[in-house]
Amino acid sequence: KMGSSTFMLDSTTMNLAPSGNGYKTGFTKEQVSDMLPQLLSAIATASGDDGLLSLTHLKGAQVWTASGRKIGKIEDVLFDQLGGKAELLFINMGNSILSDDQIAIPFAAATYTHDGRVIKATIPDVMAKAMKEFKK
């Protein structure tokens, strides 16, 4: 354990080996501490860029248009086949999860802002219009 941050590591880089119901590394705690900055800098984020977004906080985030109209909330994030990069946002445009007003848009089509734990996704007005037309 090294702080409260969670991050993913390549098993070959870390010399991981099965141990009971988990894994152990061939490195000492001091060696891992020395490597930590380099390991963290090599990790790709879910969004594929330098911005860090928590999937836990992204699900349920409100989706707004650039002109300031709320159009829904993020129900889920869909990843590429390797699970390393977010590709699509699954957005609920209705008032209920059982609504038929659900659609997926490219992850990169939205911009993300956050204030502490609250994330807000903003999409261009043109995309919002296209989403509305698609759902008709």
Side-chain angles (χ1 to χ4, degrees):
K1 293 190 174 190
M2 299 184 63
S4 60
S5 298
T6 301
F7 55 92
M8 304 295 285
L9 300 171
D10 178 3
S11 61
T12 56
T13 303
M14 291 302 297
N15 293 332
L16 294 180
S19 175
N21 65 351
Y23 293 88
K24 66 179 179 177
T25 180
F27 299 114
T28 66
K29 183 176 180 179
E30 291 76 26
Q31 288 172 314
V32 173
S33 292
D34 290 343
M35 292 187 300
L36 190 59
Q38 180 184 356
L39 293 170
L40 291 175
S41 68
I43 296 172
T45 64
S47 63
D49 60 23
D50 293 330
L52 297 174
L53 295 173
S54 166
L55 182 59
T56 303
H57 298 122
L58 194 57
K59 289 174 80 169
Q62 294 183 352
V63 181
W64 295 77
T65 64
S67 60
R69 188 172 47 101
K70 180 182 172 193
I71 62 164
K73 70 176 185 173
I74 298 172
E75 288 296 328
D76 211 346
V77 180
L78 306 174
F79 288 82
D80 65 6
Q81 290 181 342
L82 299 176
K85 183 177 178 190
E87 293 288 337
L88 298 168
L89 292 177
F90 192 61
I91 299 174
N92 183 345
M93 297 171 57
N95 295 327
S96 164
I97 193 156
L98 301 175
S99 169
D100 288 336
D101 294 336
Q102 299 175 2
I103 191 168
I105 66 168
F107 186 88
T111 57
Y112 307 90
T113 56
H114 56 88
D115 179 17
R117 301 187 80 137
V118 178
I119 296 176
K120 175 180 164 183
T122 304
I123 63 170
D125 291 326
V126 174
M127 176 163 279
K129 183 178 178 182
M131 291 166 63
K132 185 176 178 182
E133 291 296 317
F134 179 79
K135 293 311 293 177
K136 282 186 178 182

